[in-house]
Amino acid sequence: DVSAELQKIIDENPQSTIYFPDGEYQISKPLVTSSDPAKAVSLKLSTFAIIKAASDWDDANGYMIQLGGKDKTFTVDEVGSNYYMEGGCIDGSYKAKGVEVAGGLETSVRYVSIKFVTQGIHIALNDESPSSYADIETVNIVGCNQPDSIGVLVDSNGNTFTNMRVAGFEVATKANGKNNVFRNLHMLYIYSGNYDYNNSVGFWDTSEGNPYDICYPDNFAI
């Protein structure tokens, strides 16, 4: 378990890109970055770097990776506001949630595989800013085929999601925020597991002003 060591590196190297070479990094609690531009970091994983939920992972702690979860700041006027997470694999070990954009503006998550997670990616709604303006690009997500699971949960406004494949969730994408753009998304229902096919939804939109372009819900009941 290298949770403490990785968190220490993140906390002690503000305005840096933290690089993960190929290999497996087991964590028992979330890795949390700051959305304060003076303390922010980017996380760059090599192609075969895997951050994996350890056997004693406690799902009550939330998502494995929480971007901008500390010192929540909402600005685009300072260097360091546009931090990112890129590459590698987040492995939930069939027990953990994947990645959360918890704070900040213009966060980017790209070229990441999120596998075997109970929930995929979450764009959180914050009291200080209803919009996150996050860019999620070429992120592929595989769930655990569980009831009430959601692949992509969007609670804030003004985000973009492009070139994604999401499989193994009862609800592939749920948009509670508005003015989000969804482009070239393939949502796939997997006929196995213990979820209810009759409750399966490819795209569940509870808001308004969310355009969809070349979005393909595959085999869902709804």
Side-chain angles (χ1 to χ4, degrees), residues 170-187:
E170 191 167 276
V171 176
T173 295
K174 186 173 184 181
N176 296 323
K178 60 184 179 180
N179 301 327
N180 299 285
V181 177
F182 300 93
R183 178 173 291 118
N184 192 22
L185 306 186
H186 181 192
M187 308 289 112

Side-chain angles (χ1 to χ4, degrees), residues 4-217:
E5 289 84 351
L6 292 178
Q7 190 63 57
K8 187 172 186 288
I9 292 171
I10 290 170
D11 293 341
E12 293 182 355
N13 293 276
Q15 292 195 339
S16 298
T17 299
I18 311 299
Y19 180 69
F20 292 73
D22 293 337
E24 184 175 282
Y25 305 82
Q26 291 199 30
I27 60 173
S28 62
K29 52 189 175 183
L31 301 181
V32 187
T33 69
S34 174
S35 54
D36 180 346
K39 302 176 183 178
V41 300
S42 288
L43 306 179
K44 185 176 178 63
L45 280 66
S46 182
T47 303
F48 300 102
I50 303 170
I51 299 178
K52 183 178 176 66
S55 58
D56 58 344
W57 175 268
D58 184 355
D59 202 37
N61 289 329
Y63 286 75
M64 291 175 64
I65 310 295
Q66 298 174 15
L67 302 173
K70 288 184 177 180
D71 314 303
K72 293 186 180 180
T73 308
F74 301 90
T75 178
V76 295
D77 297 330
E78 301 175 47
V79 173
S81 65
N82 59 334
Y83 50 86
Y84 65 85
M85 177 178 179
E86 179 179 290
C89 178
I90 306 302
D91 182 346
S93 301
Y94 297 93
K95 64 180 67 178
K97 301 180 181 75
V99 176
E100 179 175 53
V101 177
L105 301 177
E106 297 185 338
T107 305
S108 175
V109 181
R110 56 201 189 224
Y111 316 127
V112 179
S113 291
I114 303 173
K115 296 185 181 297
F116 317 128
V117 288
T118 56
Q119 304 283 356
I121 191 166
H122 179 218
I123 314 298
L125 178 64
N126 291 279
D127 294 336
E128 293 184 46
S129 175
S131 299
S132 299
Y133 305 120
D135 295 300
I136 314 301
E137 177 186 357
T138 317
V139 173
N140 298 312
I141 308 173
V142 178
C144 302
N145 307 348
Q146 293 181 348
D148 304 317
S149 57
I150 301 176
V152 178
L153 177 59
V154 189
D155 284 324
S156 71
N157 309 328
N159 307 285
T160 64
F161 302 83
T162 56
N163 302 335
M164 296 178 63
R165 183 176 180 273
V166 179
F169 297 93
E170 191 167 276
V171 176
T173 295
K174 186 173 184 181
N176 296 323
K178 60 184 179 180
N179 301 327
N180 299 285
V181 177
F182 300 93
R183 178 173 291 118
N184 192 22
L185 306 186
H186 181 192
M187 308 289 112
L188 178 62
Y189 182 85
I190 304 296
Y191 290 101
S192 64
N194 60 350
Y195 51 4
D196 185 357
Y197 172 74
N198 293 322
N199 292 329
S200 65
V201 184
F203 294 94
W204 184 358
D205 195 327
T206 70
S207 189
E208 59 186 10
N210 295 313
Y212 296 81
D213 180 26
I214 318 178
C215 291
Y216 178 30

